[in-house]
Amino acid sequence: MIQFIVKKLVSGFAALLGVVVLVFFLFNVIPVDPARLTMGQRADVASVEAVRKDLGLDKPPVTRFLYYLNDLSPLSFYKDSPEAAEKYGYSKLFSVGSGNYLVMKTPYLGFSYQDRRKVSDILITALPKTILLGIIAITFASIVGIFLGVIAAIRQFSFLDNSILVTSILGISQPSYFSGIVLALIFGDLLADYTGLNYTGNLYELNDYGDEVLVLKNLILPAIALGIRPISIFVQLTRSSVLDVLSQDYVRTAKAKGLSYYVTLFKHVLRNALNPVITAISGWFASILAGSYFIEYIFNYKGLGYETIKALESFNFPVVMGSVLFTASLFILVNIFVDILYGLLDPRISLKA
Amino acid sequence: MDNKILLEVKNLETHFKTEEGLVKAVNDVSFDLYRGETIGIVGESGSGKSVTSLSIMRLIPDPPGKIVGGQLIYHGKDKAVDLVKIDEEEMRNFRGNEIAMIFQEPMTSLNPVFTCGDQVMEAITLHQKKSKEEARQLTLDLFEKVELPTPERILTAYPHQLSGGQKQRVMIAMAMSCNPDILIADEPTTALDVTVQKTILQLMEDLKKKIDASIIFITHDLGVIAEIADRVIVMYRGNIVEQGSVLEIFRNPKHPYTKGLLACRPPLGKRLSKLPTVADFMSEDDDGNMIEIDASVEEMIQKVIIKPEETKARHKKLYDQTPVLEVKNLRTWFPSKKNFFGKVTDWVKAVDDVSFDVYPGETLGLVGESGCGKTTLGRTILRLAPARDGEVLFKGRDILTLAKADMMELRKEMQIIFQDPYSSLNPRITIGNAIMEPMQVHGVLGNDNERKERVVELLETVSLHGHHFNRYPHEFSGGQRQRICIARALALNPKFIICDESVSALDVSVQAQVLNLLIDLREQFQFTYIFISHDLSVVKFMSDRMVVMKSGKIEEMGDADEIYNSPERAYTQKLISAIPKGELSDIEARAARNNAQSGS
């Protein structure tokens, strides 16, 4: 099992390295001058040149890439100085001569061109909001999806089954930014007097006294909008999976033992039928974390996706690159987790490397 | 056996509503089951024997099925109940408790995500007031009773960690857990090797005496019936066509269908040119009425017997030729363990240093238990599995080192017919196109019109009709599908065919038809066969020479009759003694033994 996890981590690392290469060179062929962006339109040539030197933009791309890798790596080499220590926040391990040290640090993603905040700080403030939204959306989607899926399966071909199926096809067909806008319009605007919900809103809002307060109700509409497509998928997956398991020989065996209908259904059928659904849920959770860009933007919910789109609009590449790498790492971790989960849920799958 | 009736089945009618209309799966079936006896129900697939047993359990899937008439009177400890009339809630108290069932497929009949112990304990705690610890102890005892090795380990093992025979023992333990009065066994040994089958049958016989239960044993094979049943019910198309004691049925079968079933089993002592089939004893006119052909089983067999001299002459002619296929020191190993860097540290030696020759026109039988490597050997010869080393010379050329283009050429000459006719045909391709496909791939004949004509010819060769061309696989029965697979193998005019368990999934009566077809084709086109099967009686019937395999190695090789008559190795002897022979003398001996026991 440990060998299995190590192998997965190694291959995950390789994938991440690929993403780094791709991200770096993609953002370096775009004809935008970061130095100009940092300093603004009215800066003089000399100070733009200075920033360019500071960002290392005067060096060839390969050298810049190596610097970039060095910045990302938790183990890296730097020439020790108070400014560098401040910039990277490292702790020195040992000297490698001429003032250079091997240091340990959290990956350095650069700073925002806009407000010169550290990218990692921006991401870390935004991330919990996105994770909270993701967890709520996926929990909501799983409960509703599995429930409807089971109902549809045990009432196969009934009116209820057909209605659930048709609705779920509608749910799959609509993109989340569409349902997001419609939901916001209906429940956040037209019916706002009854629902008390806001058209848009962040997790923390300023109240009349200028204090930041937690506004949990602002999670409701984005979570539903994000959950609609996964619900539809879970419904169909659960339905076909339960139907498949219901026709298995071991379900007949359970009935032949004299077990009641509900024991058979909940113990013998669901335990088998939910395996594929649970893996789908984990996969969708990763997608939601990475894919709530539109929804966050529509609802003005200041999570990872919101920050990324804002950054894209203003060519704020360090934030975009950092966010892409961040999401890629999340994806890889969730996938490793799903692989392990597979083995735990189904005793037939062994976690041997 | 005393004379108390335990279960009366009276005029049972179970119907299924299908798209083709109403199917009377069980039609006016009546029989009595006495305490302590074993009734065998025999018939081919679709005869209604399984539906009868599921009706008794009230486990008919509804819709589409329903018990529409009749009574199932169960004489319980204190009073008699009609199982058809009681509601579902009451019925559950009988299931698993008074009437238990063992199913055909041990591989799929246990829930894969629960341990074997849990699944047996569940049945115990459901019907008996037992604590978890008591149930555990009881399960351990049961595992010991069904002679499972290391009961402690099996208690916590998942089904996939056990062999087929072991799983069936767990199923039996589960069925016995509440000391049922009636044990219904639906083809419990059909999916198992003969050697395992023998031990399971023995076990059921012993347990029946221990817990004083009655058994309803369902099978398509009269040979198995002869080993275990006291009385026999023969079912055909939803009706009982004959019933009587096992001795009566074997001594003097009355219904032509019973005669057909008795005659179509490959006999072990004799060599036949072909097998008698049910069709030799009865046929149907256009209105579906049965026409009986008056002949006894003995007469039919006498007609097709081959004299030893004829066999000798055939063999002399065969073995004077040079071999068409030479297998030399062939090894096929699969990696079973790898270290961190992917280097293989342990191997499964599926085929280990195997050498033999095959002569043109002969049939070489390959027999052994599951896992002995016979299937892998067949696949390695066709390069469908990778060989580790060794040589496979076909007409002097080493198949294993041939270039891709040459191999493609060779595939036309060598074909394989697989085990499962249900899954080896694509359900979305019409059978005509399925047969035509290999011809298109290899560019046989000029255009599709010519190919179509050839397909029609082929369909007729395997006793199907040209108008079947545009039908889909699901419209055919198992036997017909296997004929389609044979037709597909013939499409490239091969000379060399490997039959990998090609009749194992079929009923005995259908098996006889397919075997006869393979023999006819051999005579007609001078085919060379490698015939792979776990069933020694079938292999012996088909083969000139026989290879017995065990754990990847050849155990014994030689003339099929000689091996059967005087097997040298203990393993071969074990295989032969495990075959249910269905000989009258054995049944008489068993009946005499039983009488002596009940008398004392």
Side-chain angles (χ1 to χ4, degrees):
Chain A
M1 167 118 173
I2 288 170
Q3 216 183 67
F4 173 83
I5 295 173
V6 170
K7 269 204 162 170
K8 286 278 161 194
L9 284 174
V10 168
S11 62
F13 179 76
L16 197 58
L17 211 60
V19 177
V20 171
V21 174
L22 209 65
V23 164
F24 180 82
F25 286 101
L26 271 182
F27 285 102
N28 269 280
V29 294
I30 298 175
V32 167
D33 186 355
R36 180 58 76 184
L37 279 173
T38 313
M39 297 307 292
Q41 290 301 320
R42 279 176 296 173
D44 60 291
V45 179
S47 38
V48 169
E49 274 312 308
V51 171
R52 183 162 289 152
K53 207 167 160 117
D54 184 37
L55 291 173
L57 292 173
D58 53 339
K59 302 209 168 58
V62 177
T63 321
R64 290 213 312 265
F65 179 64
L66 291 179
Y67 276 125
Y68 186 58
L69 276 187
N70 194 36
D71 281 351
L72 288 178
S73 166
L75 280 177
S76 42
F77 300 96
Y78 287 110
K79 202 173 181 71
D80 188 35
S81 68
E83 300 87 63
E86 155 86 41
K87 186 170 159 193
Y88 300 113
Y90 54 68
S91 43
K92 282 181 274 188
L93 291 180
F94 53 84
S95 164
V96 288
S98 62
N100 285 315
Y101 283 88
L102 177 72
V103 304
M104 212 170 74
K105 63 168 197 324
T106 51
Y108 174 73
L109 296 167
F111 55 87
S112 160
Y113 295 155
Q114 236 86 52
D115 47 12
R116 306 205 52 98
R117 275 164 70 202
K118 273 173 109 173
V119 170
S120 42
D121 290 344
I122 297 177
L123 295 180
I124 280 166
T125 0
L127 183 71
K129 295 181 196 161
T130 299
I131 288 187
L132 183 67
L133 178 61
I135 287 175
I136 289 178
I138 204 76
T139 314
F140 162 70
S142 312
I143 293 171
V144 177
I146 291 174
F147 179 74
L148 291 179
V150 171
I151 300 257
I154 59 181
R155 296 267 176 276
Q156 194 190 8
F157 302 135
S158 68
F159 175 72
L160 196 61
D161 176 31
N162 286 330
S163 328
I164 291 175
L165 270 186
V166 170
T167 322
S168 76
I169 290 168
L170 279 178
I172 293 173
S173 326
Q174 57 78 43
S176 61
Y177 51 82
F178 172 74
S179 57
I181 293 171
V182 171
L183 283 172
L185 191 69
I186 296 178
F187 296 102
D189 189 50
L190 296 176
L191 299 177
D193 293 344
Y194 306 101
T195 58
L197 296 176
N198 299 323
Y199 189 67
T200 61
N202 194 4
L203 186 57
Y204 296 96
E205 297 270 336
L206 295 180
N207 67 6
D208 298 343
Y209 307 101
D211 304 323
E212 257 199 352
V213 287
L214 188 68
V215 191
L216 281 177
K217 69 175 180 187
N218 281 348
L219 279 167
I220 296 175
L221 291 179
I224 293 176
L226 270 177
I228 287 178
R229 293 196 73 212
I231 287 178
S232 312
I233 305 247
F234 300 161
V235 165
Q236 303 214 342
L237 208 59
T238 309
R239 179 181 181 272
S240 62
S241 182
V242 168
L243 283 177
D244 180 50
V245 174
L246 276 175
S247 67
Q248 293 291 324
D249 290 343
Y250 55 78
V251 174
R252 190 178 56 185
T253 307
K255 283 186 200 154
K257 269 187 219 174
L259 291 177
S260 74
Y261 178 75
Y262 287 101
V263 175
T264 312
L265 181 68
F266 285 108
K267 188 170 170 193
H268 287 265
V269 176
L270 277 192
R271 179 72 169 73
N272 279 285
L274 288 188
N275 283 359
V277 183
I278 286 172
T279 32
I281 288 174
S282 331
W284 267 93
F285 181 57
S287 307
I288 281 185
L289 289 185
S292 54
Y293 287 36
F294 293 121
I295 290 298
E296 289 185 7
Y297 194 67
I298 289 167
F299 286 97
N300 235 340
Y301 183 89
K302 299 192 175 59
L304 207 56
Y306 178 87
E307 296 292 352
T308 312
I309 291 196
K310 277 279 176 230
L312 259 178
E313 278 180 339
S314 52
F315 300 104
N316 198 348
F317 290 154
V319 178
V320 180
M321 287 162 85
S323 151
V324 170
L325 288 181
F326 212 74
T327 331
S329 323
L330 264 178
F331 236 105
I332 288 165
L333 283 178
V334 171
N335 273 322
I336 294 175
F337 171 74
V338 171
D339 281 340
I340 297 169
L341 198 68
Y342 243 154
L344 296 180
L345 284 176
D346 192 335
R348 284 167 295 183
I349 294 167
S350 76
L351 293 185
K352 277 191 206 123
Chain B
M1 195 200 323
D2 48 35
N3 286 332
K4 266 172 73 186
I5 291 183
L6 193 57
L7 180 76
E8 284 175 81
V9 178
K10 282 186 182 169
N11 311 99
L12 184 70
E13 304 249 350
T14 305
H15 294 177
F16 281 81
K17 279 193 189 112
T18 67
E19 280 169 19
E20 285 90 43
L22 196 71
V23 176
K24 295 181 179 175
V26 173
N27 195 4
D28 195 15
V29 161
S30 306
F31 64 90
D32 297 332
L33 177 70
Y34 291 90
R35 194 170 276 282
E37 78 165 343
T38 303
I39 278 194
I41 303 183
V42 68
E44 60 199 6
S45 356
S47 62
K49 53 194 197 312
S50 285
V51 177
T52 305
S53 66
L54 286 173
S55 299
I56 297 172
M57 289 292 277
R58 291 252 316 260
L59 281 176
I60 298 290
D62 178 16
K66 206 172 168 88
I67 301 174
V68 292
Q71 289 174 300
L72 295 164
I73 298 171
Y74 171 73
H75 296 272
K77 274 147 200 132
D78 21 74
K79 61 176 181 67
V81 202
D82 184 354
L83 298 179
V84 175
K85 298 234 162 58
I86 59 177
D87 65 18
E88 178 65 23
E89 198 68 15
E90 272 179 90
M91 188 60 212
R92 282 205 289 111
N93 293 328
F94 286 94
R95 276 187 211 136
N97 195 12
E98 317 277 352
I99 310 172
M101 192 158 177
I102 305 166
F103 297 99
Q104 172 168 11
E105 282 293 335
M107 306 299 161
T108 53
S109 290
L110 288 169
N111 196 326
V113 301
F114 296 111
T115 62
C116 297
D118 280 344
Q119 296 189 53
V120 178
M121 277 149 66
E122 188 181 29
I124 296 173
T125 46
L126 181 73
H127 294 295
Q128 304 173 34
K129 288 196 178 68
K130 290 261 157 62
S131 73
K132 226 172 165 189
E133 184 47 44
E134 283 171 318
R136 203 185 92 93
Q137 202 47 52
L138 209 65
T139 308
L140 275 178
D141 292 348
L142 279 166
F143 282 171
E144 220 147 276
K145 268 190 204 145
V146 296
E147 291 154 27
L148 277 165
T150 61
E152 289 277 356
R153 183 184 70 86
I154 298 208
L155 202 68
T156 54
Y158 287 97
H160 72 277
Q161 295 165 326
L162 308 185
S163 70
Q166 287 175 335
K167 276 185 235 184
Q168 200 58 298
R169 281 168 197 269
V170 172
M171 279 297 288
I172 293 175
M174 190 191 294
M176 313 267 305
S177 62
C178 299
N179 294 327
D181 279 342
I182 304 173
L183 191 61
I184 302 175
D186 187 359
E187 306 251 14
T189 57
T190 307
L192 304 172
D193 277 345
V194 272
T195 41
V196 185
Q197 164 169 295
K198 188 180 178 176
T199 56
I200 297 274
L201 291 180
Q202 191 58 49
L203 175 72
M204 290 186 63
E205 186 74 29
D206 293 347
L207 290 175
K208 183 186 88 170
K209 285 182 189 132
K210 266 186 207 155
I211 65 165
D212 190 27
S214 307
I215 298 180
I216 300 178
F217 195 102
I218 293 160
T219 176
H220 65 97
D221 186 353
L222 267 171
V224 177
I225 292 277
E227 302 263 304
I228 192 158
D230 301 311
R231 281 196 304 136
V232 184
I233 292 172
V234 184
M235 283 189 78
Y236 181 66
R237 300 209 174 153
N239 295 297
I240 294 182
V241 291
E242 188 164 359
Q243 58 175 309
S245 81
V246 65
L247 265 176
E248 280 170 46
I249 298 279
F250 275 79
R251 257 188 206 147
N252 188 17
K254 291 195 181 64
H255 194 273
Y257 180 68
T258 318
K259 291 182 196 168
L261 283 184
L262 277 170
C264 70
R265 306 183 61 251
L268 283 157
K270 319 175 181 80
R271 182 156 277 274
L272 306 184
S273 59
K274 61 190 288 188
L275 289 168
T277 60
V278 174
D280 289 331
F281 294 93
M282 58 192 269
S283 58
E284 263 174 27
D285 62 17
D286 295 339
D287 303 326
N289 297 317
M290 193 186 71
I291 305 168
E292 190 175 330
I293 298 158
D294 192 34
S296 78
V297 175
E298 262 316 298
E299 284 167 14
M300 273 298 166
I301 289 180
Q302 280 309 323
K303 268 192 209 167
V304 288
I305 209 157
I306 304 180
K307 296 191 191 81
E309 303 90 73
E310 293 172 64
T311 315
K312 259 198 193 121
R314 175 180 151 86
H315 285 180
K316 193 169 170 353
K317 227 172 95 194
L318 276 178
Y319 300 127
D320 277 348
Q321 310 169 84
T322 46
V324 62
L325 183 88
E326 296 161 72
V327 176
K328 291 182 182 166
N329 308 98
L330 189 67
R331 273 178 235 260
T332 312
W333 292 5
F334 296 110
S336 70
K337 263 191 207 148
K338 287 180 185 175
N339 67 9
F340 186 75
F341 301 101
K343 195 170 148 46
V344 179
T345 54
D346 206 357
W347 299 88
V348 176
K349 298 175 181 174
V351 177
D352 198 19
D353 200 10
V354 165
S355 309
F356 60 88
D357 296 335
V358 186
Y359 293 86
E362 85 161 327
T363 302
L364 181 78
L366 208 56
V367 69
E369 291 172 291
S370 32
C372 74
K374 53 190 193 305
T375 292
T376 312
L377 176 57
R379 286 172 186 233
T380 314
I381 292 171
L382 291 180
R383 256 173 74 177
L384 297 174
R388 184 174 163 85
D389 50 34
E391 285 175 25
V392 179
L393 301 174
F394 184 72
K395 294 182 180 163
R397 295 161 86 194
D398 188 0
I399 293 178
L400 300 179
T401 55
L402 276 185
K404 218 175 171 188
D406 293 335
M407 191 62 215
M408 184 93 170
E409 203 51 39
L410 206 72
R411 289 222 187 276
K412 276 202 266 186
E413 292 187 50
M414 307 174 86
Q415 285 289 312
I416 185 163
I417 302 166
F418 293 106
Q419 170 166 14
D420 193 343
Y422 295 91
S423 58
S424 47
L425 287 168
N426 186 332
R428 291 182 192 279
I429 295 180
T430 64
I431 62 147
N433 284 325
I435 300 172
M436 207 157 78
E437 194 182 16
M439 292 199 251
Q440 290 165 331
V441 170
H442 287 276
V444 176
L445 300 175
N447 57 44
D448 275 0
N449 278 339
E450 287 176 37
R451 289 186 195 125
K452 259 182 202 160
E453 272 170 39
R454 172 87 180 114
V455 171
V456 172
E457 257 178 61
L458 284 169
L459 283 173
E460 276 157 12
T461 314
V462 297
S463 331
L464 292 167
H465 295 287
H467 64 257
H468 288 145
F469 189 98
N470 285 322
R471 297 215 188 148
Y472 288 91
H474 71 264
E475 297 173 62
F476 296 90
S477 69
Q480 286 175 319
R481 283 188 224 201
Q482 200 56 292
R483 284 163 200 272
I484 295 165
C485 292
I486 293 172
R488 181 171 60 180
L490 296 182
L492 298 172
N493 299 317
K495 280 277 162 241
F496 187 94
I497 296 181
I498 295 181
C499 303
D500 185 4
E501 300 269 14
S502 303
V503 293
S504 308
L506 306 174
D507 281 348
V508 202
S509 48
V510 183
Q511 167 183 298
Q513 297 166 11
V514 174
L515 290 177
N516 285 344
L517 171 66
L518 288 172
I519 288 182
D520 287 348
L521 294 171
R522 180 175 75 190
E523 306 302 316
Q524 204 178 337
F525 301 106
Q526 275 79 48
F527 283 150
T528 311
Y529 288 125
I530 292 185
F531 192 90
I532 302 171
S533 176
H534 69 276
D535 188 341
L536 201 136
S537 60
V538 174
V539 171
K540 185 192 160 284
F541 167 72
M542 285 296 291
S543 316
D544 298 299
R545 286 186 308 144
M546 190 151 76
V547 174
V548 183
M549 273 186 84
K550 185 193 174 192
S551 330
K553 288 191 159 57
I554 292 183
E555 186 79 8
E556 193 166 355
M557 175 161 62
D559 183 272
D561 293 331
E562 268 170 37
I563 288 193
Y564 175 71
N565 292 328
S566 48
E568 280 174 13
R569 309 294 293 249
Y571 178 70
T572 319
Q573 289 164 3
K574 192 178 100 183
L575 279 183
I576 291 171
S577 72
I579 305 169
K581 295 173 189 68
E583 299 280 350
L584 199 56
S585 53
D586 295 342
I587 302 168
E588 282 165 347
R590 188 165 66 88
R593 217 167 41 237
N594 282 352
N595 281 339
Q597 271 173 3
S598 56
S600 62

